[in-house]
Amino acid sequence: MRTVDVARRAGYSVQQVRNLERDGVLPPARRTATGYRIYGEIHLQSALAYRALAAGAGPIEAKKIVRAVHRFPASRALALLDAAHARLDAERTDLRLAQEAAQAISSEPIADVRASDSMSVSELAAALGVRPSTLRHWDAEDLVVPDRDPARGTRRYTPAQVRDARIVHQLRRAGYRIAPSGPSCRS
C-alpha cells in the first residue's frame, strides 16, 4: 500500500501516517528504489489500533502501547494495556463518586438560614481543606461568588454558597474543570 492508501483506510491524513511511522507507532515502512514508502497490512492494523486506543486511553498512552507491541514481548504490551485499563477504571470510579457527592450535596436542604450561618473565606477554606486563595480564585472565575460584608467588604459565604463551593470542590477533585459561568451569575 502507498501512504495515501493507509491514510484513507485508517482515517488519517498522509502526514499523520508519516508522523505515526516517525513516532514508532507504525513499524518502519519498506522503501522503493526511488524512496517511496511501501506499507503492508501490519501498518494499517497498527494505525487502526492506535486510533482505537487513543480514543479510550489518550494519545500518549496509546503510542506507548502500540510501540511496545512492535518492540517488546507481548507481555510488556499487555502490562501497559492493563495499566491503562486500571487507570481508566480508577478515573471512572472517582468521577462516579464525585457525581454522587455533588448530587447528594445539592439535594441537602438549606432551611432556617441566619446571618450567623455564613462563613468567612478562612472558615470555608479550612472546612473544605483548600487554601483561601483557591476560594478567591473561584470567586474571580465566577464559580462560587460570595456575598460581601457591607461594612468591611470581606467575603461571606451563605449556606447556599457553601453548598456550591462543596460541589465545585468535589468536581474539581475528580478532575472536572468547570467553565466560569460569566458575569450573569453574580447577583
Side-chain angles (χ1 to χ4, degrees):
M1 284 183 274
R2 300 170 300 159
T3 309
V4 68
D5 300 324
V6 174
R8 284 185 186 139
R9 290 178 65 188
Y12 287 114
S13 71
V14 169
Q15 187 59 52
Q16 286 172 312
V17 171
R18 289 182 189 131
N19 292 346
L20 290 174
E21 182 186 354
R22 178 200 66 211
D23 294 343
V25 174
L26 305 183
R30 290 182 302 132
R31 298 280 185 150
T32 65
T34 54
Y36 289 102
R37 291 175 174 89
I38 300 173
Y39 293 102
E41 191 65 24
I42 186 72
H43 298 96
L44 175 61
Q45 293 305 315
S46 296
L48 292 171
Y50 169 74
R51 178 180 285 288
L53 282 169
I60 293 171
E61 218 158 356
K63 283 182 182 180
K64 288 178 188 175
I65 294 167
V66 177
R67 279 193 291 244
V69 167
H70 298 304
R71 296 179 182 160
F72 303 110
S75 61
R76 174 101 179 253
L78 292 173
L80 289 171
L81 189 57
D82 284 347
H85 282 150
R87 180 187 56 79
L88 290 170
D89 182 58
E91 286 178 8
R92 281 191 298 274
T93 299
D94 289 346
L95 291 174
R96 182 181 49 77
L97 292 173
Q99 289 171 331
E100 290 172 4
Q103 187 174 15
I105 292 166
S106 65
S107 65
E108 291 174 354
I110 300 175
D112 193 26
V113 177
R114 296 176 298 266
S116 62
D117 293 333
S118 293
M119 297 177 83
S120 69
V121 170
S122 299
E123 291 168 334
L124 182 54
L128 293 176
V130 300
R131 295 180 306 193
S133 61
T134 299
L135 294 174
R136 291 185 190 100
H137 175 73
W138 292 353
D139 182 5
E141 292 292 316
D142 290 329
L143 294 175
V144 181
V145 180
D147 294 340
R148 295 288 183 150
D149 182 290
R152 298 183 314 189
T154 56
R155 292 172 174 87
R156 296 296 298 173
Y157 292 86
T158 66
Q161 293 160 344
V162 169
R163 178 198 58 219
D164 293 346
R166 291 174 59 208
I167 291 170
V168 168
H169 181 56
Q170 286 297 321
L171 294 175
R172 289 213 160 199
R173 284 180 57 196
Y176 279 103
R177 292 294 171 240
I178 305 156
S181 301
S184 63
C185 75
R186 288 190 186 265
S187 45

